[in-house]
Amino acid sequence: MTSTTRLTTALPRSHGALLMDLARDVSFPADTRIFEEGSSADRFWIIHTGTVAIDLYVPDRGHATVEMLGAGDLLGWSWLFSPHEWHFGAEAFSLVRAYEFEAAAVQALCESDPGMGFALACSVAEILAHRLEATRAKLLDQYMVHGGPGLHMVHGGPGL
């Protein structure tokens, strides 16, 4: 199985190959809930085709989409961090084909090869940092469009 995903290409070639050896092909029809916020995070996916909506449950309003993921994106990071519960929910927006990884198998691989574990943790952290920065930019854009109070208040005041 080969892949040109950002996660596997961010890893050294030998580590990417080891990770892909653990992958299995799965698919999710459109409108399928892939996981629910608060449930056990015991796997993750690299999206091959299709689109997944990442959402947050809002009482009395249902699921609110916070991000859309597509081909090459990592779906799921909560498996890597205690308490290993999903922080968001996910739903297939269209037919999704993905590589699925069992967290226990990946964690065992990382324990047996600490270099692999470090490389994988750094790669996932980099992906999360990019997503956080993109979310920050979206929030600032939305903030500016809706004309909230002075921007200096968001950053803790002038001079910071």
Side-chain angles (χ1 to χ4, degrees):
M1 186 180 299
T2 61
S3 175
T4 58
T5 63
R6 285 169 238 150
L7 178 62
T8 57
T9 56
L11 293 171
R13 181 169 294 186
S14 61
H15 291 147
L18 287 172
L19 181 64
M20 290 308 294
D21 285 344
L22 299 176
R24 72 180 189 107
D25 288 311
V26 297
S27 63
F28 301 99
D31 302 322
T32 300
R33 292 297 293 172
I34 300 171
F35 55 83
E36 293 290 345
E37 180 180 350
S39 64
S40 178
D42 62 355
R43 64 195 70 236
F44 66 97
W45 302 263
I46 297 174
I47 300 169
H48 187 60
T49 62
T51 306
V52 174
I54 302 300
D55 56 42
L56 187 61
Y57 183 75
V58 179
D60 299 325
R61 293 206 167 153
H63 294 101
T65 298
V66 295
E67 186 173 12
M68 299 294 282
L69 302 178
D73 285 333
L74 171 67
L75 172 60
W77 50 265
S78 298
W79 63 276
L80 190 57
F81 305 101
S82 286
H84 306 290
E85 293 178 354
W86 297 117
H87 294 251
F88 298 93
E91 185 169 318
F93 185 76
S94 63
L95 172 63
V96 172
R97 288 190 172 84
Y99 301 122
E100 181 176 81
F101 301 85
E102 297 287 332
V106 174
Q107 289 164 339
L109 173 63
C110 292
E111 287 175 15
S112 70
D113 183 343
M116 168 68 183
F118 181 74
L120 182 62
C122 287
S123 296
V124 172
E126 185 177 352
I127 290 166
L128 292 176
H130 286 294
R131 289 188 186 169
L132 182 59
E133 188 60 33
T135 300
R136 179 181 179 272
K138 286 179 196 176
L139 287 171
L140 285 174
D141 285 346
Q142 198 170 29
Y143 183 82
M144 296 303 289
V145 167
H146 295 292
L151 206 50
H152 64 280
M153 298 301 286
V154 172
H155 294 290
L160 295 180

